[in-house]
Structures are given as C-alpha cells and as structure tokens.
Amino acid sequence: MKRVYWMIPSFVLAFSMLITPVIHQVSAAEKTEQDTSVQEGIDKVLAEIDTLQKAIQGNGELIKINEAGKKIDEAWDLIEEQVEEKNPEAYKNIEESLYPLIGEAQKPSPDMKKIQKLIPETTEKLKDYQATLQQ
C-alpha cells in the first residue's frame, strides 16, 4: 500500500513535465493574438477619431460629436488594459491627450478649437505606439 502513495506524486510530476511545453506554446500564440487585437483596437480608435473629425468639419452637429466621443471611449476601453500592461509609458502618453479629447467631445457644448487641437496630437501618439507594436 505504501508503494501506491509514492507512485501518485511521481505520476503528477511526470504529467506536469509533459504538459508544461504545451502551456508555453499556447501562451506564445495568445501573445501574438493579443498583439493583433491591440493593433486592431488602435485601428478602431483611429477610425472613431476620424469620424469625430468628419463630424466637426461637416455641419458640427452636437449629437454626432457626442456620439463620436462615446465611440472613441468604448473602442479605447477594449484595449486599454493591454496597452497599459505592455507599455505603461506609452499608455500614459496616449491618455494625456486621449482622455481630454473624449471628455471634450462628450460635453454638452464642446470647444471645437480644443478638439481640433487634440485630434492630431492623439492620432500621432496612437500611430507611434502602433508602429512600435509592428517592430
């Protein structure tokens, strides 16, 4: 009976040694998938910023501007944690202009000059970060 107690830990150890490389392979695949989703997320944020730019240049309807601000916020929320984990410095840099842009776009009476100043600044920061992901 004592032999059985000795064998169980041996089987557990052997099994864990066999499964560990498989777990690491999955982690590498997840990392690649995560990079892709951050890339796609940034593309989505940039597309929503472009929509905001068009709303301002068009007739400047408050409803469209507020909606664009909301969609930018929603798109950023999807990737925010991943960006912060990967590169806290870039995350902080992006948010210094992104959050004021989102906040201003969602105000009842947004300052169009401020938004037009924040759009290119935020866009540049997002594109710069996206370029670092592609390296």
Side-chain angles (χ1 to χ4, degrees):
M1 192 68 164
K2 290 184 180 182
R3 284 183 165 176
V4 173
Y5 292 122
W6 177 85
M7 291 174 59
I8 291 172
S10 297
F11 285 126
V12 171
L13 180 63
F15 180 74
S16 68
M17 290 174 66
L18 290 172
I19 195 86
T20 301
V22 174
I23 292 171
H24 288 297
Q25 288 174 349
V26 171
S27 297
E30 286 175 357
K31 184 181 182 313
T32 304
E33 184 177 305
Q34 204 174 47
D35 287 348
T36 302
S37 66
V38 171
Q39 291 266 7
E40 291 169 357
I42 291 173
D43 285 339
K44 178 73 173 158
V45 174
L46 289 169
E48 296 302 340
I49 290 173
D50 189 49
T51 301
L52 174 61
Q53 179 71 42
K54 289 176 182 172
I56 290 170
Q57 289 173 346
N59 54 10
E61 267 186 61
L62 179 62
I63 293 172
K64 288 183 179 182
I65 293 169
N66 289 159
E67 184 64 27
K70 181 180 176 186
K71 287 187 177 189
I72 293 168
D73 191 28
E74 290 170 356
W76 178 247
D77 281 347
L78 296 174
I79 60 169
E80 181 177 13
E81 285 182 23
Q82 293 174 24
V83 173
E84 186 176 22
E85 282 178 19
K86 284 179 162 293
N87 193 333
E89 195 173 300
Y91 168 79
K92 184 180 176 188
N93 184 38
I94 292 167
E95 288 207 335
E96 285 175 356
S97 60
L98 181 64
Y99 274 135
L101 175 63
I102 292 168
E104 196 63 44
Q106 292 183 342
K107 284 184 178 178
S109 56
D111 181 347
M112 299 301 174
K113 288 182 181 178
K114 192 172 185 179
I115 290 174
Q116 288 182 336
K117 177 185 175 267
L118 289 167
I119 286 175
E121 184 180 326
T122 305
T123 300
E124 183 180 339
K125 289 177 181 183
L126 286 165
K127 286 182 178 181
D128 287 347
Y129 178 66
Q130 193 174 38
T132 65
L133 292 176
Q134 293 173 351
Q135 295 176 355

